[in-house]
């Protein structure tokens, strides 16, 4: 149980910057989801925190004490690897017991702690088996049990669900959430799956190409994406991004006039500039709004609870999601001003609230 | 396909076993019968005469002890050197390139050409023709290095790096991680390497002949008996040499079984 601080942490491999100026304060017992595509630096961040790679710059502190110059064994950080990394020659009991044994915990206490976490993870029946005799879900639980048995100060999870099939994934996700709440271990959870990040994280850190794009609660990241990358990465389907232009006090998407949010209009002034208008698929409704378009329908997916259309508005391909069963895309769709997101086309950054 | 494989396997086994059977047969048959015409496949009379005669003719016990000592020390020294080297090679590409070059080059040098300078060095050090075979042991270790290095490097490469990293995070020291996690996982290769190295030393002939001129291990002993016209006695020595080799194979067989790595991951 600990606070963690990352102060301008940096990692370079030769000329390649894997992680740049990563600064983050993690509260005691908080679960942070690190979200990003592969190669964004999220696994690097875990490896730096665990001490498996040296930092190129910056500092990592736990409870105010630097840990980035300490050997991995001395950091009291536990990690669940994507591949689980169970010791294949040891039984489940010996796997779970391994960190305790390495720390010189007495045999009687070791047995008690193993029995305790085995019960917690429903592994009691499997203690004498070897990893090869377990299913994927069971191995996953052994990996978690081994990580929490010694009550680490910091808990690192590297895409722990990516090897499970879809159904198991949802249940293990809930399980991890409950577990983390119950144990109150400060946790960094790395994933490329935005559903995992949104459901598990107290806060989400979106990373791309080694740089933080946004830090916020799942809702903040969803409702107010800081830039076009976050807008396109978080949410399923991705936010529709329509090329637009601000000129002479009016906003246009192609030939379409869009009523901009009033404070944005004031801020943009008279300068002519290219913008991007973002619209969530579910923000469309039949009829009026700040943006009203006549979409050209392309495909339709009836999902029962909702209907997803692919359509064309001006030059852009958009996704429109309407509740319930809708046979045909309305002739006119509209988006309210409050659901419009504006971004600067030059650097992708968010404009306005 | 299946049948072809079986035929090939039988042919190979036959090619190996027929000379073995013949040498053992010759060892337990009186010399006269061994050279009878037409030759016989099975011994007509069994005799321990060759074994008795060979003990009387040469210092068989000493030769056996010398060969066994040198082989055991060679196994110990080779593994002690190769374990860290092979691990390093498996984990660090730069170290790997160097070790690979050196050990491959070492294998290319002809033994006979090396024996003479080695003998000169050992004379200066007092290790030439050493009663405990120290010079020969050092030489055999040098010869055996690649035999242990290549299989062990392959085995270390097969151990996921993440297992060692997990052990470090679980609180193990780097050496602790190696001993408790990596080493048990390369056990089959370790067994195979030990076996190979033992056999390399046990039947190595050229250095044994040239470096141990009077304190002779078994291969030169056998050679002298055969060269000086005692095929029965030579066969007896050959049979004696087979016994420990077979014993070592049987002893190490459980370790050679694979499959230790299954189950670490998904």
């Amino acid at each position: 149980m600990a606070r963690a601080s990352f102060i301008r942490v940096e990692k370079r491999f030769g000329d390649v910057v894997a992680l740049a100026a990563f600064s983050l304060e993690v509260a005691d017992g908080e679960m942070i989801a690190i979200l990003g595509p592969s190669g964004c630096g999220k696994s690097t961040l875990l490896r730096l925190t665990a001490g498996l790679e040296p930092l190129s710059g910056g500092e990592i502190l736990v409870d105010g004490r630097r840990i980035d110059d300490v050997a991995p064994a001395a950091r009291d950080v536990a990690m669940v690897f994507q591949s689980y990394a169970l010791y294949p020659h040891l039984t489940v009991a010996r796997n779970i017991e391994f960190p305790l044994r390495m720390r010189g915990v007495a045999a009687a206490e070791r047995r008690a702690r193993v029995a305790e976490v085995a019960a917690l993870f429903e592994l009691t029946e499997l203690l004498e088996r070897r990893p090869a005799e377990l299913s994927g879900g069971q191995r996953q639980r052994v990996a978690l049990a081994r990580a929490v048995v010694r009550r680490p100060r910091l808990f690192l999870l590297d895409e722990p669900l990516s090897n499970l099939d879809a159904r198991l994934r949802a249940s293990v996700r809930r399980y991890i959430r409950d577990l983390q709440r119950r144990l109150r271990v400060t946790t960094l959870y790395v994933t490329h799956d935005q559903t995992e990040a949104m459901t598990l994280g107290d806060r989400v850190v979106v990373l791309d190409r080694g740089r933080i794009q946004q830090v916020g609660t799942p809702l903040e990241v969803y409702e107010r994406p800081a830039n076009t990358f976050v807008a396109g990465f978080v949410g399923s389907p991705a936010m529709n991004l329509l090329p637009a232009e601000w000129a002479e006090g009016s906003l246009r998407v192609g030939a379409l006039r869009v009523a901009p949010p009033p404070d944005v209009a004031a801020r943009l002034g008279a300068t002519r500039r290219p913008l991007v208008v973002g619209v969530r698929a579910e923000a469309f409704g039949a009829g009026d709004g700040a943006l009203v378009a006549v979409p050209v329908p392309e495909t339709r997916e009836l999902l029962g609870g909702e209907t997803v259309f692919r359509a064309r508005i001006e030059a852009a391909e958009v996704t429109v999601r309407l509740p319930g069963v809708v046979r045909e895309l309305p002739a006119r769709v509209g988006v309210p001003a409050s659901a419009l997101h504006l971004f600067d086309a030059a650097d992708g950054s968010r404009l306005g609230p | 396909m299946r049948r072809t494989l079986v035929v090939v396997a039988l042919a190979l086994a036959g090619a190996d076993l027929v000379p073995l059977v013949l040498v053992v047969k010759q060892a337990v048959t009186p010399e006269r019968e061994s050279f009878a015409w037409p030759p016989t496949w099975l011994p007509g009379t069994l005799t321990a005469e060759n074994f008795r005669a060979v003990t009387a003719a040469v210092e068989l016990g000493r030769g056996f002890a010398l060969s066994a000592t040198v082989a055991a020390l060679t196994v110990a020294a080779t593994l002690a050197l190769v374990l860290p080297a092979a691990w390093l090679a498996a984990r660090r590409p730069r170290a790997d390139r160097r070790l690979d070059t050196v050990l491959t080059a070492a294998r290319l040098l002809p033994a006979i050409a090396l024996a003479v300078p080695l003998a000169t060095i050992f004379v200066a050090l007092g290790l030439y023709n050493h009663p405990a075979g120290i010079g020969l042991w050092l030489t055999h270790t040098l010869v055996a290095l690649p035999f242990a290095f290549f299989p062990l490097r392959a085995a270390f490469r097969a151990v996921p790096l993440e297992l060692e990293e997990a052990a470090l995070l679980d609180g193990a020291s780097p050496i602790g991680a190696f001993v408790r996690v990596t080493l048990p996982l390369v056990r089959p290769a370790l067994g195979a390497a030990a076996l190979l190295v033992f056999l390399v030393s046990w039947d190595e002939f050229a250095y044994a002949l040239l470096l141990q001129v009077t304190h002779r291990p078994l291969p030169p002993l056998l050679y002298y008996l055969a060269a000086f016209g005692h095929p029965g006695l030579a066969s007896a020595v050959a049979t004696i040499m087979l016994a420990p080799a077979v014993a070592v194979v049987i002893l190490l067989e459980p370790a050679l079984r694979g499959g230790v790595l299954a189950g670490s991951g998904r």
Side-chain angles (χ1 to χ4, degrees):
Chain A
M1 323 302 121
R3 287 178 294 116
S5 315
F6 297 83
I7 303 165
R8 299 195 62 77
V9 172
E10 184 178 300
K11 180 65 184 176
R12 289 184 305 269
F13 295 100
D15 291 337
V16 182
V17 178
L19 198 65
F22 184 93
S23 295
L24 182 71
E25 289 290 329
V26 185
D28 185 12
E30 192 178 19
M31 186 157 192
I32 298 279
I34 315 279
L35 174 66
S38 61
C40 72
K42 55 192 194 296
S43 291
T44 302
L45 175 70
L46 283 201
R47 295 178 62 80
L48 295 174
T49 313
L52 298 171
E53 305 273 356
L55 276 66
S56 308
E59 291 178 19
I60 301 175
L61 291 84
V62 173
D63 282 337
R65 293 248 297 275
R66 269 189 84 159
I67 61 155
D68 55 79
D69 48 1
V70 172
R75 293 188 184 199
D76 201 8
V77 162
M79 179 155 161
V80 173
F81 290 83
Q82 188 174 359
S83 68
Y84 310 151
L86 300 182
Y87 308 126
H89 58 299
L90 301 179
T91 60
V92 168
R94 299 275 261 168
N95 261 282
I96 299 175
E97 181 193 54
F98 193 88
L100 302 178
R101 201 177 261 273
M102 289 301 103
R103 283 177 166 73
V105 175
E109 198 192 333
R110 285 207 305 261
R111 269 195 299 279
R113 298 261 288 269
V114 169
E116 185 190 332
V117 295
L120 179 66
F121 287 92
E122 295 158 44
L123 291 168
T124 310
E125 308 296 307
L126 308 173
L127 283 175
E128 292 316 308
R129 300 237 193 125
R130 280 175 201 269
E133 300 162 314
L134 302 178
S135 72
Q138 290 167 340
R139 286 179 199 177
Q140 156 71 262
R141 299 210 301 274
V142 176
L144 288 168
R146 185 179 69 184
V148 302
V149 70
R150 64 188 164 89
R151 298 162 196 155
R153 292 200 293 173
L154 218 55
F155 194 26
L156 310 176
L157 295 160
D158 190 2
E159 308 234 5
L161 306 185
S162 59
N163 297 322
L164 301 177
D165 63 54
R167 221 161 7 130
L168 203 51
R169 208 176 294 169
S171 72
V172 177
R173 199 169 66 209
R174 274 194 299 279
Y175 192 79
I176 290 179
R177 180 74 265 208
D178 291 349
L179 180 80
Q180 199 271 339
R181 288 263 159 80
R182 201 154 9 137
L183 299 175
R184 306 265 320 139
V185 197
T186 311
T187 303
L188 297 186
Y189 184 106
V190 156
T191 179
H192 66 270
D193 180 320
Q194 50 108 11
T195 315
E196 276 174 37
M198 302 295 276
T199 50
L200 287 173
D202 293 317
R203 281 190 295 157
V204 178
V205 174
V206 184
L207 269 184
D208 183 44
R209 282 173 287 169
R211 290 180 184 279
I212 291 185
Q213 304 297 315
Q214 189 169 5
V215 181
T217 65
L219 267 188
E220 281 167 5
V221 170
Y222 185 81
E223 289 176 346
R224 299 190 58 244
N227 55 39
T228 47
F229 175 81
V230 178
F233 198 77
V234 174
S236 176
M239 183 184 279
N240 296 301
L241 297 173
L242 308 167
E245 195 185 32
W246 176 258
E248 289 129 28
S250 72
L251 179 65
R252 285 176 188 278
V253 172
L256 218 62
R257 269 188 78 111
V258 180
D263 49 331
V264 174
R267 193 128 50 93
L268 285 171
T271 10
R272 182 191 180 96
R273 62 202 281 198
L275 299 178
V276 173
V277 169
V279 182
R280 290 272 177 216
E282 62 272 21
F284 288 101
D288 289 337
L291 182 155
V292 179
V294 178
V296 182
E298 288 183 346
T299 64
R300 183 189 66 187
E301 290 171 38
L302 284 170
L303 300 173
E306 60 187 35
T307 308
V308 177
F309 292 94
R310 302 283 297 163
R312 202 163 271 285
I313 290 179
E314 293 299 309
E317 180 103 0
V318 297
T319 308
V320 176
R321 190 155 74 182
L322 299 171
V325 176
V326 182
R327 295 284 162 193
E328 267 186 56
L329 188 60
R332 265 165 34 111
V333 293
V335 183
S338 60
L340 288 180
H341 304 260
L342 280 184
F343 304 96
D344 186 333
D347 62 1
S349 64
R350 183 183 187 85
L351 299 168
Chain B
M1 186 63 203
R2 217 27 213 282
R3 192 176 298 171
T4 324
L5 275 178
V6 171
V7 170
V8 170
L10 284 177
L12 286 174
D16 276 343
L17 286 177
V18 168
L20 281 186
V21 169
L22 289 179
V23 86
V24 173
K25 181 212 158 208
Q26 183 156 291
V28 296
T29 324
E31 207 154 292
R32 223 171 315 106
E33 195 187 313
S34 298
F35 289 93
W37 195 263
T40 52
W41 279 101
L42 292 172
T45 358
L46 286 176
T47 173
E49 183 47 42
N50 287 324
F51 292 91
R52 251 196 306 280
V54 80
T55 2
V58 293
E59 298 249 26
L60 186 69
R62 285 234 192 128
F64 188 95
L66 184 60
S67 272
T69 312
V70 169
L73 286 175
T74 302
V75 170
T78 307
L79 293 184
L81 290 170
V82 161
L83 274 175
W87 180 84
L88 202 67
R91 294 296 182 229
R92 307 264 191 284
R94 265 185 47 192
D96 185 32
R97 279 195 291 278
R98 285 182 197 156
L99 286 165
D100 196 277
T101 314
V102 167
L103 287 170
T104 307
R107 292 223 48 200
L108 298 176
L109 299 172
I112 289 293
L114 269 184
V116 176
L118 277 174
T120 321
I121 295 168
F122 288 151
V123 167
L125 293 173
L127 297 176
Y128 181 70
N129 197 28
H130 192 278
I134 302 296
L136 187 62
W137 162 49
L138 295 175
T139 312
H140 279 182
T141 302
L142 203 66
V143 173
L145 286 174
F147 288 89
F149 178 80
F150 292 105
L152 277 170
R153 182 182 64 178
F156 282 131
R157 280 181 179 160
V159 176
L161 181 59
E162 287 193 343
L163 290 182
E164 290 173 13
E165 293 179 340
L168 292 181
L169 287 178
D170 281 344
S173 64
I175 293 188
F178 181 77
V179 171
R180 286 169 179 276
V181 174
T182 316
L183 211 48
L185 295 176
V186 300
R187 204 189 56 201
L190 194 60
L195 178 65
L196 268 174
V197 170
F198 178 86
L199 293 177
V200 163
S201 168
W202 182 251
D203 67 20
E204 192 282 325
F205 175 67
Y207 292 112
L209 181 74
L210 294 166
L211 297 178
Q212 298 293 127
V213 282
T214 59
H215 299 285
R216 288 175 195 146
L218 293 178
L221 263 183
L222 190 157
Y223 161 74
Y224 281 118
L225 288 170
F228 289 97
H230 307 287
L233 303 192
S235 298
V237 176
T239 306
I240 289 167
M241 283 191 70
L242 279 175
V246 171
V248 167
V249 172
I250 291 171
L251 207 71
L252 285 174
E253 197 274 335
L256 296 179
R257 277 186 228 141
V260 219
L261 264 172
S264 78
R266 32 213 120 164

